[in-house]
Amino acid sequence: MSGLLQLVRRWRWQWLLWLLPLAFLLVFFFIPLASILRLGAQVFTDQAHLNLGRVWRPLAFTFGQATLSTLLTLLVGLPAAYLFARFRFPGRGLLNALVVLPFMLPTVVAAAGFNALLGPNGWLNLLLMKLFNLTQAPIHLLNTLGIILLAHVFYNTPVIIRVVGSAWAQLDTRVEQAARVLGASPWQTMRLVTLPLLRPAILAAAMLVFLFNFTSFGVVLLLGGPQYATLEVEIYMQAVQMLNLPMAGLLSGVQLLCTLGISILYSRAVGKQSIPLIPRLKGEGARQPHSGWERVFVAGMLTLLILLELLPLIALVLRSVMLMDASGHTVWTLSAYQELFINRRQSVFYVPPIQSGVNSLLYGLATVLMAVPLGTLTAMALRSRSQLARIMDPVLMLPLGASAVTLGLGFIAVFNRPPLDVRTFPLLIPIAHTLVALPFVVRTLQPALAGIPVSLRQAAAVLGASPFQVWRTVELPILARAAVVSAIFSFTLSLGEFGATSFLARPETPTLPVAISRFISLPGALNYGQALAMATLLMLVCALSILGIEQLSRFLNEGEKTNG
Amino acid sequence: MVSYASSPAAEVVYASEPLTDASTGAILADGMCFRQVEFAGILKGTPNRKLAEQWIDFMLSTTFQEDMPLQMFVYPVNPKAKLPDAFSKYASIPEMPARLTPAEITSGRETWIEAWTEAVLR
């Protein structure tokens, strides 16, 4: 009897843990999602002439560009993964750390970087105009498919390097050596031994990259111009420009089906990754390039990676401190930064750009304050391995499958009367960011929580600590580092979030990405300069956060190894 | 390029270095421009009629009307509002804009938006 009582008590305790995360997801994810689907269904009942081309065309373009982008990314990423897995060269560690940067940067920063490098007022055009005394920009890459693909390759090459590169470095070199001894040429070894062993990793990385490209929003909106629209961009256009909410809802439904499908394929691909990889010593398979071809390969790949991954970011920083005066001379100045603080035209409704920075920081902090406690509760609830936890685990990851634009649309469809009104309740923006961050927070905290030995908690309990005391004095200090990592992560994510925010930010309270996207499309060199200055500031804050996360994660992993 | 008649003024205002002349011009010959009227109104049956009226009055005040040209690059409707220098110097009002009756617009709007989207944006 007492056993049953205990069971009931434990269940109740668990329900308490679940209560807050579930209520949060229900109100801010499932209800908006349901309303979007309902909106989408209206298209079939309300709109007399339904032009299915409006669904079909963006869908075809989304699939097409995602396929092309993924293939191009593999083309650059696989040799790059080989480079990092198999060769030692000066600056390897630094470059390895630097190439993760692009992947975590906000899309508006990447868009601003490519604009500063290849846009009509970018470095390349300025240089060519100076060299050949031209009055017009000779290169028109902005608003072409080319620059979209380029930006996607920029974004996702780090994913291939990370996922495939680490699998490659773990590969037992003796298998390849055996193939060579048995008479296989290097090419045959690669084709018949190495690549088949790497196939699961390549497949998983490619699926992930495809998913990112499929849901691309900021890059396509800011670099692709009006004629290119992925589903994400089309949802935004239909909702915000055409005010056709049912059509936006229908497109969101289509988008949701696609992303869920791709996610399921991805988790299948990851599940198959269990090839027998004997753990190797770090850097064991890497060596100096010796033959001439190898030196050419290493030098060529290094140049390509620096041009592709770092040049746009350098171009952004340099372009933000450069102004052309009336006579065409280059002036180095911080005036674009000073201008961020000034209401130059004394306008009534003007929001100084620096205010958007303040907004972003506040939203970021609010996101951390919501995402980390909710994530901790969820991770603790998931720890129990009960039936409930097994059912809830995939449910919690569902927001990952919904795109940010869909979230934004859902919010404006549902939260339109007080107290939860998009127009008067600015906390809805960090709430949307929390939804995006939550799955990552949970996945960061789960292993840290699982790593705490049960005996530790039991010992504390035996010595008379209450469950709360056990949590506060034993578990919390151990969790703290993982919590800091997830806090920085949610903060960075919130700073750069553009998809949902572009729906939710009011004109008087823009965030940095929203302000950047507005200024970069305004005419005039001063607006352009300010957009680049804001993008540079955003990039620096994000870069610092990312480096912080990297350092802390390394620290965490080492800690776990010594503990275990 | 299709743009607004006030576009040359915008060029000057948004230049990083003071410009003495606009780098683009607008062709304002008869029938080359269409008058675009932007409007604000009060919704029928609003619970906040008083507030809405105050807001519309504010939008019609010289403070708002003088601020608007350089934010939206449109002309004020309040005759007392002073036009900014950039407007009086670099922008001019076409004398004979093309006209369409509201009925014509109502009947053609959907088709035009569709055609424009097809022709320009795709």
Side-chain angles (χ1 to χ4, degrees), chain A residues 49 51 54 57 226-229 234 242 323-326 345-349 522-527, chain B residues 10-11 13-19 55 58 63-64 67 70-71 73 110 113-114 117-118 120-122:
Chain A
H49 68 295
N51 184 354
R54 286 209 206 142
R57 239 174 333 202
Q227 68 269 51
Y228 294 108
E234 193 62 25
M242 303 304 219
L323 257 176
M324 294 262 275
D325 65 12
R345 285 182 288 286
Q346 299 298 320
S347 167
V348 186
F349 294 119
L522 282 177
L526 204 55
N527 288 325
Chain B
E11 290 274 339
V13 170
Y14 282 124
S16 59
E17 293 292 317
L19 287 182
W55 171 249
F58 171 67
T63 323
F64 186 93
D67 189 47
L70 287 186
Q71 305 308 316
F73 288 87
E110 285 300 317
I113 291 177
E114 195 84 34
T117 315
E118 294 295 316
V120 183
L121 300 182
R122 294 289 167 241

Short mmCIF file of all heavy atoms in Angstrom, two decimals, chain A residues 49 51 54 57 226-229 234 242 323-326 345-349 522-527, chain B residues 10-11 13-19 55 58 63-64 67 70-71 73 110 113-114 117-118 120-122:
data_model
loop_
_atom_site.label_atom_id
_atom_site.label_comp_id
_atom_site.label_asym_id
_atom_site.label_seq_id
_atom_site.Cartn_x
_atom_site.Cartn_y
_atom_site.Cartn_z
N HIS A 49 -11.29 31.89 -56.80
CA HIS A 49 -10.33 31.38 -57.78
C HIS A 49 -9.01 31.10 -57.07
O HIS A 49 -8.28 31.99 -56.69
CB HIS A 49 -10.15 32.36 -58.95
CG HIS A 49 -9.47 33.63 -58.56
ND1 HIS A 49 -10.02 34.54 -57.68
CD2 HIS A 49 -8.27 34.14 -58.92
CE1 HIS A 49 -9.20 35.56 -57.53
NE2 HIS A 49 -8.14 35.35 -58.27
N ASN A 51 -5.42 30.01 -57.17
CA ASN A 51 -4.32 29.85 -58.12
C ASN A 51 -3.26 28.96 -57.48
O ASN A 51 -2.46 29.42 -56.68
CB ASN A 51 -3.76 31.24 -58.46
CG ASN A 51 -2.67 31.15 -59.51
OD1 ASN A 51 -2.26 30.06 -59.90
ND2 ASN A 51 -2.22 32.29 -59.96
N ARG A 54 0.56 29.62 -57.01
CA ARG A 54 1.13 30.35 -55.89
C ARG A 54 1.71 29.43 -54.83
O ARG A 54 2.48 29.85 -54.00
CB ARG A 54 0.07 31.24 -55.25
CG ARG A 54 -0.25 32.45 -56.07
CD ARG A 54 -0.69 33.56 -55.18
NE ARG A 54 -1.55 34.48 -55.92
CZ ARG A 54 -2.61 35.05 -55.40
NH1 ARG A 54 -2.94 34.81 -54.16
NH2 ARG A 54 -3.31 35.88 -56.12
N ARG A 57 4.75 27.07 -57.32
CA ARG A 57 5.99 27.71 -57.76
C ARG A 57 7.00 27.89 -56.63
O ARG A 57 8.15 27.48 -56.79
CB ARG A 57 5.69 29.03 -58.45
CG ARG A 57 6.23 28.98 -59.86
CD ARG A 57 5.87 30.17 -60.67
NE ARG A 57 4.63 30.77 -60.19
CZ ARG A 57 3.89 31.55 -60.94
NH1 ARG A 57 4.24 31.81 -62.17
NH2 ARG A 57 2.78 32.10 -60.47
N PRO A 226 13.10 40.68 -55.15
CA PRO A 226 11.67 40.34 -55.22
C PRO A 226 11.36 39.11 -56.08
O PRO A 226 10.30 38.51 -55.90
CB PRO A 226 11.05 41.59 -55.83
CG PRO A 226 12.16 42.30 -56.51
CD PRO A 226 13.40 41.95 -55.77
N GLN A 227 12.23 38.71 -56.99
CA GLN A 227 11.77 37.64 -57.90
C GLN A 227 12.03 36.23 -57.38
O GLN A 227 11.52 35.28 -57.95
CB GLN A 227 12.33 37.82 -59.31
CG GLN A 227 13.80 37.64 -59.47
CD GLN A 227 14.53 38.95 -59.29
OE1 GLN A 227 14.33 39.65 -58.31
NE2 GLN A 227 15.38 39.31 -60.22
N TYR A 228 12.81 36.08 -56.31
CA TYR A 228 13.04 34.74 -55.78
C TYR A 228 12.33 34.58 -54.45
O TYR A 228 12.51 35.40 -53.55
CB TYR A 228 14.53 34.47 -55.59
CG TYR A 228 15.27 34.43 -56.89
CD1 TYR A 228 16.12 35.47 -57.26
CD2 TYR A 228 15.10 33.38 -57.76
CE1 TYR A 228 16.79 35.45 -58.47
CE2 TYR A 228 15.75 33.34 -58.97
CZ TYR A 228 16.60 34.38 -59.32
OH TYR A 228 17.25 34.36 -60.52
N ALA A 229 11.50 33.57 -54.34
CA ALA A 229 10.82 33.35 -53.08
C ALA A 229 10.81 31.88 -52.72
O ALA A 229 10.28 31.06 -53.46
CB ALA A 229 9.40 33.88 -53.14
N GLU A 234 7.71 33.41 -49.28
CA GLU A 234 6.37 33.57 -49.83
C GLU A 234 5.33 33.67 -48.70
O GLU A 234 4.39 34.45 -48.79
CB GLU A 234 6.06 32.39 -50.76
CG GLU A 234 4.84 32.58 -51.64
CD GLU A 234 4.94 33.76 -52.61
OE1 GLU A 234 6.07 34.15 -52.95
OE2 GLU A 234 3.89 34.29 -53.00
N MET A 242 0.76 41.10 -48.98
CA MET A 242 -0.51 40.92 -49.68
C MET A 242 -1.69 40.82 -48.72
O MET A 242 -2.83 40.84 -49.15
CB MET A 242 -0.48 39.65 -50.54
CG MET A 242 0.63 39.63 -51.56
SD MET A 242 0.56 41.08 -52.63
CE MET A 242 1.00 40.37 -54.18
N LEU A 323 33.84 55.31 -46.10
CA LEU A 323 32.85 56.14 -46.79
C LEU A 323 33.52 56.72 -48.03
O LEU A 323 34.72 56.97 -48.04
CB LEU A 323 32.42 57.30 -45.88
CG LEU A 323 31.06 57.19 -45.19
CD1 LEU A 323 30.86 58.37 -44.28
CD2 LEU A 323 29.93 57.09 -46.20
N MET A 324 32.71 56.90 -49.08
CA MET A 324 33.25 57.56 -50.28
C MET A 324 32.81 59.01 -50.24
O MET A 324 31.62 59.28 -50.08
CB MET A 324 32.67 56.89 -51.52
CG MET A 324 33.11 55.47 -51.70
SD MET A 324 34.48 55.35 -52.82
CE MET A 324 33.58 55.30 -54.36
N ASP A 325 33.75 59.94 -50.35
CA ASP A 325 33.32 61.34 -50.37
C ASP A 325 32.91 61.72 -51.79
O ASP A 325 32.99 60.91 -52.72
CB ASP A 325 34.39 62.27 -49.79
CG ASP A 325 35.65 62.29 -50.62
OD1 ASP A 325 35.61 61.77 -51.76
OD2 ASP A 325 36.67 62.81 -50.15
N ALA A 326 32.47 62.98 -51.94
CA ALA A 326 31.88 63.40 -53.22
C ALA A 326 32.85 63.23 -54.39
O ALA A 326 32.44 62.93 -55.50
CB ALA A 326 31.41 64.83 -53.12
N ARG A 345 17.24 63.81 -38.79
CA ARG A 345 16.21 64.66 -39.40
C ARG A 345 15.16 65.11 -38.39
O ARG A 345 14.12 65.59 -38.76
CB ARG A 345 15.57 63.92 -40.57
CG ARG A 345 16.50 63.90 -41.77
CD ARG A 345 15.88 63.23 -42.96
NE ARG A 345 15.78 61.79 -42.78
CZ ARG A 345 16.82 60.96 -42.85
NH1 ARG A 345 18.02 61.44 -43.08
NH2 ARG A 345 16.66 59.68 -42.69
N GLN A 346 15.47 64.94 -37.10
CA GLN A 346 14.56 65.44 -36.06
C GLN A 346 13.13 64.96 -36.26
O GLN A 346 12.19 65.69 -36.05
CB GLN A 346 14.57 66.99 -36.04
CG GLN A 346 15.93 67.59 -35.73
CD GLN A 346 16.41 67.19 -34.35
OE1 GLN A 346 15.64 67.13 -33.41
NE2 GLN A 346 17.69 66.89 -34.23
N SER A 347 13.00 63.71 -36.69
CA SER A 347 11.67 63.23 -37.00
C SER A 347 10.88 62.89 -35.74
O SER A 347 11.44 62.59 -34.70
CB SER A 347 11.77 61.99 -37.89
OG SER A 347 10.52 61.37 -37.94
N VAL A 348 9.54 62.96 -35.86
CA VAL A 348 8.66 62.72 -34.71
C VAL A 348 8.73 61.26 -34.26
O VAL A 348 8.82 60.96 -33.08
CB VAL A 348 7.21 63.08 -35.07
CG1 VAL A 348 6.33 62.97 -33.83
CG2 VAL A 348 7.13 64.48 -35.65
N PHE A 349 8.67 60.33 -35.23
CA PHE A 349 8.57 58.92 -34.88
C PHE A 349 9.89 58.17 -35.03
O PHE A 349 9.92 56.96 -34.98
CB PHE A 349 7.53 58.22 -35.76
CG PHE A 349 6.15 58.71 -35.51
CD1 PHE A 349 5.43 59.31 -36.51
CD2 PHE A 349 5.60 58.58 -34.25
CE1 PHE A 349 4.16 59.75 -36.28
CE2 PHE A 349 4.32 59.03 -34.01
CZ PHE A 349 3.60 59.62 -35.02
N LEU A 522 17.11 50.76 -47.73
CA LEU A 522 16.81 52.17 -47.97
C LEU A 522 17.85 52.76 -48.92
O LEU A 522 18.99 52.31 -48.95
CB LEU A 522 16.86 52.96 -46.65
CG LEU A 522 15.67 52.84 -45.71
CD1 LEU A 522 15.95 53.62 -44.44
CD2 LEU A 522 14.41 53.37 -46.38
N PRO A 523 17.47 53.78 -49.71
CA PRO A 523 18.47 54.39 -50.57
C PRO A 523 19.45 55.23 -49.75
O PRO A 523 19.15 55.62 -48.62
CB PRO A 523 17.63 55.28 -51.50
CG PRO A 523 16.39 55.57 -50.72
CD PRO A 523 16.14 54.38 -49.85
N GLY A 524 20.62 55.52 -50.33
CA GLY A 524 21.55 56.44 -49.70
C GLY A 524 22.70 55.74 -48.99
O GLY A 524 22.52 54.72 -48.34
N ALA A 525 23.89 56.32 -49.14
CA ALA A 525 25.10 55.71 -48.59
C ALA A 525 25.09 55.70 -47.07
O ALA A 525 25.65 54.80 -46.44
CB ALA A 525 26.33 56.46 -49.10
N LEU A 526 24.45 56.70 -46.47
CA LEU A 526 24.47 56.80 -45.01
C LEU A 526 23.65 55.66 -44.39
O LEU A 526 24.07 55.05 -43.41
CB LEU A 526 23.89 58.15 -44.59
CG LEU A 526 24.34 58.63 -43.23
CD1 LEU A 526 25.87 58.66 -43.17
CD2 LEU A 526 23.80 60.02 -42.98
N ASN A 527 22.49 55.35 -44.98
CA ASN A 527 21.67 54.24 -44.48
C ASN A 527 22.41 52.92 -44.64
O ASN A 527 22.39 52.07 -43.76
CB ASN A 527 20.35 54.17 -45.23
CG ASN A 527 19.43 55.29 -44.85
OD1 ASN A 527 19.40 55.71 -43.69
ND2 ASN A 527 18.69 55.82 -45.81
N ALA B 10 14.57 62.24 -52.50
CA ALA B 10 15.07 61.19 -51.61
C ALA B 10 16.56 60.94 -51.85
O ALA B 10 17.32 60.74 -50.91
CB ALA B 10 14.28 59.90 -51.84
N GLU B 11 16.97 60.98 -53.13
CA GLU B 11 18.39 60.80 -53.47
C GLU B 11 19.26 61.79 -52.71
O GLU B 11 20.29 61.46 -52.15
CB GLU B 11 18.60 61.05 -54.97
CG GLU B 11 18.03 60.00 -55.86
CD GLU B 11 19.00 58.86 -56.05
OE1 GLU B 11 20.20 59.07 -55.82
OE2 GLU B 11 18.54 57.77 -56.41
N VAL B 13 18.46 63.65 -50.02
CA VAL B 13 18.36 63.57 -48.56
C VAL B 13 19.20 62.42 -48.01
O VAL B 13 19.86 62.55 -46.98
CB VAL B 13 16.88 63.38 -48.16
CG1 VAL B 13 16.76 63.05 -46.67
CG2 VAL B 13 16.08 64.63 -48.46
N TYR B 14 19.22 61.28 -48.73
CA TYR B 14 19.90 60.10 -48.20
C TYR B 14 21.36 60.00 -48.63
O TYR B 14 22.02 59.02 -48.34
CB TYR B 14 19.16 58.83 -48.62
CG TYR B 14 17.92 58.57 -47.80
CD1 TYR B 14 16.69 58.41 -48.39
CD2 TYR B 14 18.02 58.50 -46.42
CE1 TYR B 14 15.57 58.17 -47.63
CE2 TYR B 14 16.90 58.27 -45.65
CZ TYR B 14 15.68 58.10 -46.25
OH TYR B 14 14.57 57.85 -45.49
N ALA B 15 21.88 61.01 -49.33
CA ALA B 15 23.28 60.95 -49.73
C ALA B 15 24.18 61.09 -48.51
O ALA B 15 23.83 61.78 -47.55
CB ALA B 15 23.58 62.05 -50.74
N SER B 16 25.35 60.42 -48.53
CA SER B 16 26.24 60.50 -47.38
C SER B 16 26.95 61.84 -47.35
O SER B 16 27.18 62.43 -46.31
CB SER B 16 27.26 59.38 -47.43
OG SER B 16 28.00 59.48 -48.62
N GLU B 17 27.33 62.35 -48.52
CA GLU B 17 27.98 63.65 -48.62
C GLU B 17 26.96 64.60 -49.22
O GLU B 17 26.18 64.21 -50.08
CB GLU B 17 29.20 63.56 -49.54
CG GLU B 17 30.31 62.72 -48.98
CD GLU B 17 30.96 63.36 -47.76
OE1 GLU B 17 31.19 64.58 -47.80
OE2 GLU B 17 31.19 62.66 -46.76
N PRO B 18 26.96 65.87 -48.76
CA PRO B 18 25.98 66.81 -49.31
C PRO B 18 26.05 66.85 -50.83
O PRO B 18 27.12 67.02 -51.40
CB PRO B 18 26.42 68.14 -48.71
CG PRO B 18 27.28 67.81 -47.57
CD PRO B 18 27.87 66.47 -47.80
N LEU B 19 24.91 66.65 -51.48
CA LEU B 19 24.84 66.74 -52.94
C LEU B 19 24.25 68.10 -53.30
O LEU B 19 23.41 68.62 -52.57
CB LEU B 19 23.95 65.65 -53.51
CG LEU B 19 24.47 64.21 -53.52
CD1 LEU B 19 23.44 63.31 -54.17
CD2 LEU B 19 25.78 64.14 -54.28
N TRP B 55 -6.41 61.14 -32.91
CA TRP B 55 -5.28 60.65 -33.71
C TRP B 55 -5.31 61.25 -35.12
O TRP B 55 -4.30 61.73 -35.63
CB TRP B 55 -5.29 59.13 -33.75
CG TRP B 55 -4.31 58.55 -34.73
CD1 TRP B 55 -4.58 57.91 -35.87
CD2 TRP B 55 -2.89 58.62 -34.63
NE1 TRP B 55 -3.43 57.56 -36.51
CE2 TRP B 55 -2.37 57.99 -35.77
CE3 TRP B 55 -1.99 59.17 -33.70
CZ2 TRP B 55 -1.00 57.87 -36.02
CZ3 TRP B 55 -0.63 59.05 -33.94
CH2 TRP B 55 -0.14 58.41 -35.08
N PHE B 58 -4.25 64.70 -35.03
CA PHE B 58 -2.79 64.80 -34.93
C PHE B 58 -2.14 64.57 -36.29
O PHE B 58 -1.20 65.27 -36.68
CB PHE B 58 -2.28 63.78 -33.91
CG PHE B 58 -0.78 63.66 -33.90
CD1 PHE B 58 0.02 64.71 -33.46
CD2 PHE B 58 -0.16 62.51 -34.36
CE1 PHE B 58 1.40 64.61 -33.47
CE2 PHE B 58 1.23 62.41 -34.38
CZ PHE B 58 2.00 63.46 -33.93
N THR B 63 2.69 69.57 -37.24
CA THR B 63 3.82 68.77 -36.72
C THR B 63 3.97 67.50 -37.55
O THR B 63 5.06 67.19 -38.05
CB THR B 63 3.54 68.33 -35.27
OG1 THR B 63 2.86 69.37 -34.59
CG2 THR B 63 4.80 67.93 -34.56
N PHE B 64 2.87 66.77 -37.69
CA PHE B 64 2.91 65.49 -38.40
C PHE B 64 3.11 65.73 -39.89
O PHE B 64 3.94 65.08 -40.53
CB PHE B 64 1.60 64.74 -38.15
CG PHE B 64 1.60 63.35 -38.72
CD1 PHE B 64 1.97 62.28 -37.93
CD2 PHE B 64 1.23 63.13 -40.04
CE1 PHE B 64 1.96 60.99 -38.46
CE2 PHE B 64 1.24 61.86 -40.57
CZ PHE B 64 1.60 60.78 -39.78
N ASP B 67 6.54 66.59 -40.90
CA ASP B 67 7.49 65.51 -40.66
C ASP B 67 7.40 64.45 -41.75
O ASP B 67 8.38 63.82 -42.13
CB ASP B 67 7.22 64.87 -39.30
CG ASP B 67 8.30 63.89 -38.90
OD1 ASP B 67 9.48 64.27 -39.02
OD2 ASP B 67 7.99 62.77 -38.49
N LEU B 70 9.70 63.92 -45.44
CA LEU B 70 11.04 63.34 -45.43
C LEU B 70 11.06 61.91 -44.90
O LEU B 70 12.07 61.23 -44.99
CB LEU B 70 12.00 64.22 -44.63
CG LEU B 70 12.37 65.53 -45.33
CD1 LEU B 70 13.41 66.27 -44.54
CD2 LEU B 70 12.86 65.27 -46.75
N GLN B 71 9.95 61.43 -44.31
CA GLN B 71 9.90 60.04 -43.87
C GLN B 71 9.32 59.14 -44.96
O GLN B 71 9.83 58.06 -45.22
CB GLN B 71 9.04 59.90 -42.61
CG GLN B 71 9.45 60.80 -41.46
CD GLN B 71 10.92 60.68 -41.14
OE1 GLN B 71 11.46 59.58 -41.09
NE2 GLN B 71 11.59 61.81 -40.94
N PHE B 73 8.31 60.41 -48.14
CA PHE B 73 8.47 61.03 -49.45
C PHE B 73 7.12 61.16 -50.17
O PHE B 73 6.94 60.73 -51.30
CB PHE B 73 9.56 60.37 -50.27
CG PHE B 73 10.90 60.72 -49.71
CD1 PHE B 73 11.46 59.98 -48.70
CD2 PHE B 73 11.54 61.88 -50.10
CE1 PHE B 73 12.65 60.35 -48.11
CE2 PHE B 73 12.74 62.25 -49.52
CZ PHE B 73 13.29 61.49 -48.52
N GLU B 110 -7.59 43.42 -58.85
CA GLU B 110 -7.08 42.07 -58.66
C GLU B 110 -6.25 41.61 -59.86
O GLU B 110 -5.16 41.09 -59.72
CB GLU B 110 -8.24 41.09 -58.44
CG GLU B 110 -8.88 41.18 -57.06
CD GLU B 110 -7.90 40.89 -55.93
OE1 GLU B 110 -7.11 39.93 -56.08
OE2 GLU B 110 -7.89 41.62 -54.93
N ILE B 113 -2.83 43.49 -60.02
CA ILE B 113 -1.85 43.01 -59.05
C ILE B 113 -1.28 41.68 -59.52
O ILE B 113 -0.06 41.46 -59.51
CB ILE B 113 -2.48 42.87 -57.64
CG1 ILE B 113 -2.81 44.25 -57.08
CG2 ILE B 113 -1.54 42.13 -56.70
CD1 ILE B 113 -3.51 44.23 -55.73
N GLU B 114 -2.17 40.81 -59.98
CA GLU B 114 -1.76 39.50 -60.48
C GLU B 114 -0.77 39.67 -61.65
O GLU B 114 0.29 39.05 -61.67
CB GLU B 114 -3.01 38.72 -60.93
CG GLU B 114 -2.81 37.24 -61.14
CD GLU B 114 -2.93 36.45 -59.85
OE1 GLU B 114 -3.72 36.85 -58.98
OE2 GLU B 114 -2.22 35.45 -59.72
N THR B 117 2.58 41.09 -60.54
CA THR B 117 3.36 40.07 -59.85
C THR B 117 3.99 39.12 -60.86
O THR B 117 5.16 38.77 -60.77
CB THR B 117 2.47 39.29 -58.88
OG1 THR B 117 1.66 40.22 -58.16
CG2 THR B 117 3.28 38.49 -57.90
N GLU B 118 3.18 38.71 -61.86
CA GLU B 118 3.68 37.78 -62.88
C GLU B 118 4.81 38.41 -63.68
O GLU B 118 5.84 37.80 -63.93
CB GLU B 118 2.55 37.38 -63.85
CG GLU B 118 1.44 36.57 -63.23
CD GLU B 118 1.91 35.20 -62.75
OE1 GLU B 118 2.65 34.56 -63.50
OE2 GLU B 118 1.54 34.82 -61.63
N VAL B 120 6.69 41.35 -63.17
CA VAL B 120 7.85 42.00 -62.57
C VAL B 120 8.52 41.14 -61.52
O VAL B 120 9.75 41.11 -61.41
CB VAL B 120 7.43 43.36 -61.95
CG1 VAL B 120 8.65 44.07 -61.39
CG2 VAL B 120 6.74 44.21 -62.99
N LEU B 121 7.74 40.42 -60.73
CA LEU B 121 8.32 39.75 -59.57
C LEU B 121 8.68 38.30 -59.82
O LEU B 121 9.26 37.65 -58.96
CB LEU B 121 7.36 39.85 -58.39
CG LEU B 121 7.03 41.28 -57.95
CD1 LEU B 121 6.12 41.28 -56.76
CD2 LEU B 121 8.30 42.07 -57.65
N ARG B 122 8.33 37.76 -60.99
CA ARG B 122 8.63 36.34 -61.20
C ARG B 122 9.65 36.14 -62.29
O ARG B 122 9.74 36.84 -63.23
CB ARG B 122 7.36 35.56 -61.54
CG ARG B 122 6.38 35.52 -60.40
CD ARG B 122 6.90 34.62 -59.27
NE ARG B 122 6.11 34.83 -58.05
CZ ARG B 122 6.61 35.27 -56.90
NH1 ARG B 122 7.90 35.53 -56.80
NH2 ARG B 122 5.86 35.42 -55.85
#
